[in-house]
DNA sequence: AACCTCCGTGTAATCGGTTCCATGGAATCG
DNA sequence: CGATTCCATGGAACCGATTACACGGAGGTT
């Protein structure tokens, strides 16, 4: 890993380092002659610009940090992918971190990103605005929230319309005749978890659904809590006729339990999932889901962070959700309606 | 983004920058007194070490590059996740890149990673060893291959036993009585694509399966090519009684087509997928798959790259695959056996 | 011919850390 | 008690780029 520096290039080209630097970074004030000679020399020596040195001098690293909770979640994988691609198109690198739904690890990651002096961050945040997140913001670090926000923290964000999503799903279930609807909630440390739960509660009130507190299971956006929730809900003396799960991983968990117990989805039990993961089309019956658009979210987030970096003011965006009705929802099981 | 530098800290603590640096980077030759004062000053000023500056001086960036083909592929998402977590545990950052199964983009990413002076790279490579990959290696950059390798390129790798995986699956199908087996192959630009196809051919010879060349569809590890392959295979005058797909995304494609056409998997058609994605358990019937262990792969890759960086010699690892038999494979449809 | 622009170029300072080397005081030893 | 060792410390060079500033030559104007 010996390094060819710009000095070597300059020497070989017979020019000063200043000229070499100007040529290599596309500065206009260079003659055709030196441009040619420097390019040639750089090629011959296999010169690779040292981004560390450049970053130190300029105060831009051309790198953005991406903090999501877990790339193994297809929703965040999609976001991470589009963010990386959009950034690459602007020849920026992306530093990826997973917080694993843990505030401690989120802090760890944020500290890492600050120390790496990323130009900006795209964050799916968690917790209240305390800890490293507060530090990051008071530092003046450009941040854009994606998918989630934090109450009282004024940061541009691109989210989706969680309340509308749940409301649509609830209306759909109401129209089918359901009155007793189980809900596997997301962690209340996240804005999405909170908003969706609130929307569920509103729907319960609006449609006059059963208000039995046992119908809500507090999960954590992980598969295991979906399993747990499903077992509890299905184990109730009077089980729900439909279940709504607040994210894709918990939906998987619910599906798994239904599979294992031989619960026939669509007839015995209606199920609505959150996030339109490709595989939700493939299970049978295909899943009715509240879909949103992580790719668009990611792309928009990059656009926003670039705008912030360019000094422009940006406004938050709330993307619509769509209810995709498939076979997993149907009229409630007549035996259960009583 | 004004910056508190180590000079500010030193001034406030009433020591020299040398001492401040020693304290902040844990150098032993420091007195308890200055340790206390420097730590205090750093805390009060909110000092954040500038990793760029440090990297410039040391010749380590404490960053590793991760180049996979697509994080939206659950297999690579798992690898990316474990790599990131293992790296974080060693307080290293990870620069993530997606090559999208394109050699051009792979080159772009490699150039980016070199310019960022990552300490080492974990790469799921593609193509022959030409282009930027050759440059990277001649540069002396520590590289570990993961999942895939490149013929004639001597780089430590952690892969899985592709041939055994396919062989097991083929034997399983043979035992069930299948003789005509469709194969949706991976891109021949990847070692996994090649090895698995070779193993399929070997199995055809060994078990005396039909050798009709139409039974092999050349795919590219993407969902769309699985769809294409399934349509072609199922559209044959004499369709196969079983299909083997060389990765999870193509398996999704095949599943999708079967779903759409109402093909009953497990009876009308047996299906074996590659990679044990969580959702393959959930489709019904659950999918028989060739499973391997991306988490272990990722963790091992990090271990290996750290060993390489520590100057130790490392040896490549080949992890075993397991055939997980579920409901998607059964005896061939009697009507088709003729 | 004298003057002014304009433009390409080189010198050197700079970014924010790390580390070699010299120094001086305290502790240890003969 | 003088010599030696040890150790914390500070000064300054250094990593590899960028860029402010000064300079000199070519070309244009009056």
């Amino acid at each position: 890993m010996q390094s060819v520096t710009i000095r070597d290039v300059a020497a070989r080209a017979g020019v000063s380092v200043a000229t070499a630097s100007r040529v290599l970074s596309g500065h206009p004030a260079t003659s055709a002659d030196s441009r040619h000679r420097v390019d040639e020399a750089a090629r011959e020596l296999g010169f690779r610009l040292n981004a560390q040195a450049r970053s130190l001098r300029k105060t831009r690293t051309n790198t953005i940090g991406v903090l999501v909770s877990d790339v193994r979640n297809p929703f965040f994988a999609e976001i991470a992918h589009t963010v990386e691609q959009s950034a690459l198109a602007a020849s920026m690198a992306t530093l990826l971190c997973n917080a694993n739904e843990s505030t401690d690890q989120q802090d760890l990651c944020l500290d890492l990103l600050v120390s790496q002096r990323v130009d900006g961050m795209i964050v799916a945040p968690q917790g209240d605005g305390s800890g490293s997140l507060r530090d990051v913001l008071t530092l003046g670090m450009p941040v854009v929230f994606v998918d989630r926000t934090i109450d009282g923290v004024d940061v541009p964000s691109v989210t989706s319309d969680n309340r509308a999503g749940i409301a649509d799903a609830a209306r759909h279930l109401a129209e089918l005749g359901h009155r007793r609807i189980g809900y596997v909630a997301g962690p209340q440390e996240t804005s999405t978890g909170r908003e969706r739960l609130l929307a569920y509660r509103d729907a319960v009130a609006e449609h006059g659904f059963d208000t039995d507190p046992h119908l809500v299971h507090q999960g954590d956006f992980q598969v295991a809590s979906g399993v747990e929730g499903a077992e509890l809900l299905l184990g109730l003396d009077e089980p729900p006729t439909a279940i709504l799960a607040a994210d894709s991983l918990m939906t998987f968990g619910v599906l798994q339990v239904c599979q294992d117990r031989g619960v026939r989805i669509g007839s015995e039990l209606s199920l609505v999932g959150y996030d339109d993961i490709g595989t939700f089309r493939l299970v049978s019956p295909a899943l009715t889901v509240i879909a949103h658009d992580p790719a668009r979210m990611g792309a928009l987030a990059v656009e926003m962070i670039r705008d912030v970096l360019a000094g422009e003011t940006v406004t938050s965006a709330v993307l619509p959700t769509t209810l995709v009705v498939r076979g997993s929802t149907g009229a409630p099981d007549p035996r259960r309606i009583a």
Side-chain angles (χ1 to χ4, degrees), chain A:
Chain A
M1 287 289 330
Q2 92 310 338
S3 245
V4 178
T5 77
I6 201 169
R7 262 162 253 279
D8 303 325
V9 174
R12 174 153 195 138
V15 299
S16 71
V17 288
T19 301
S21 171
R22 279 188 275 257
V23 170
L24 291 169
S25 50
H27 190 95
T30 49
S31 69
D33 181 50
S34 37
R35 268 199 298 278
H36 176 72
R37 299 170 61 177
V38 170
D39 284 339
E40 189 80 353
R43 215 178 35 70
E44 286 169 3
L45 295 174
F47 171 74
R48 306 302 201 115
L49 199 133
N50 184 325
Q52 312 296 316
R54 161 179 283 183
S55 302
L56 180 58
R57 186 59 228 265
K58 316 228 222 192
T59 1
R60 288 274 283 247
T61 53
N62 248 26
T63 300
I64 61 177
V66 181
L67 179 52
V68 297
S69 74
D70 191 343
V71 271
R72 290 173 305 178
N73 182 330
F75 175 73
F76 288 117
E78 183 79 46
I79 290 183
H81 183 260
T82 42
V83 165
E84 192 263 339
Q85 294 289 298
S86 315
L88 187 63
S91 65
M92 299 196 289
T94 52
L95 230 33
L96 176 74
C97 293
N98 297 322
N100 286 334
E101 304 289 359
S102 143
T103 310
D104 286 348
Q105 219 188 343
Q106 172 173 282
D107 282 359
L108 216 62
C109 291
L110 289 173
D111 290 346
L112 186 76
L113 294 177
V114 168
S115 143
Q116 292 290 336
R117 295 292 191 275
V118 293
D119 291 338
M121 300 182 185
I122 294 178
V123 180
Q126 216 222 7
D128 50 5
S130 65
S132 296
L133 192 54
R134 172 192 299 284
D135 300 349
V136 165
L137 293 172
T138 57
L139 221 58
M141 169 72 73
V143 175
V144 167
F145 285 156
V146 67
D147 182 49
R148 306 171 176 180
T149 59
I150 290 191
D151 288 346
V153 173
D154 184 30
V155 159
S157 63
V158 43
T159 54
S160 63
D161 193 346
N162 293 295
R163 308 191 65 113
I166 294 288
D168 290 348
R171 185 174 319 109
H172 171 60
L173 292 173
E175 282 167 7
L176 288 171
H178 293 272
R179 302 276 326 273
R180 191 166 169 78
I181 297 176
Y183 184 72
V184 185
Q188 299 302 297
E189 291 80 37
T190 64
S191 63
T192 45
R194 287 192 303 272
E195 283 178 21
R196 292 173 195 173
L197 179 56
L198 284 176
Y200 164 81
R201 294 232 155 94
D202 286 353
V204 168
E206 183 185 337
H207 299 291
F209 294 154
D210 283 7
T211 56
D212 183 349
H214 293 107
L215 286 175
V216 175
H217 174 73
Q218 182 56 59
D220 62 0
F221 281 159
Q222 310 280 24
V223 176
S225 71
V227 170
E228 217 175 87
E231 303 220 307
L232 283 169
L233 290 170
L234 296 176
L236 289 179
D237 289 342
E238 195 184 344
T241 61
I243 293 183
L244 196 53
D247 91 326
S248 60
L249 295 187
M250 298 192 302
T251 306
F252 275 134
V254 175
L255 261 174
Q256 221 166 285
V257 171
C258 292
Q259 204 96 316
D260 291 350
R261 292 191 172 210
V263 174
R264 276 173 312 150
I265 292 178
S267 48
E268 251 180 282
L269 177 78
S270 286
L271 178 58
V272 179
Y274 216 108
D275 300 343
D276 192 17
I277 303 311
T279 56
F280 283 163
R281 271 195 55 196
L282 297 179
V283 297
S284 65
L287 225 60
T288 295
V289 293
I290 300 160
H292 43 175
D293 193 343
R296 210 170 133 213
M297 268 188 171
L300 225 95
V302 173
E303 228 173 90
M304 285 170 66
I305 199 80
R306 294 186 62 192
D307 283 351
V308 174
L309 290 174
E312 296 166 32
T313 53
V314 301
T315 51
S316 297
V318 178
L319 303 182
T321 59
T322 340
L323 183 71
V324 180
V325 177
R326 302 202 185 97
S328 71
T329 45
D333 191 342
R335 286 170 304 172
R336 290 258 178 86
I337 286 282

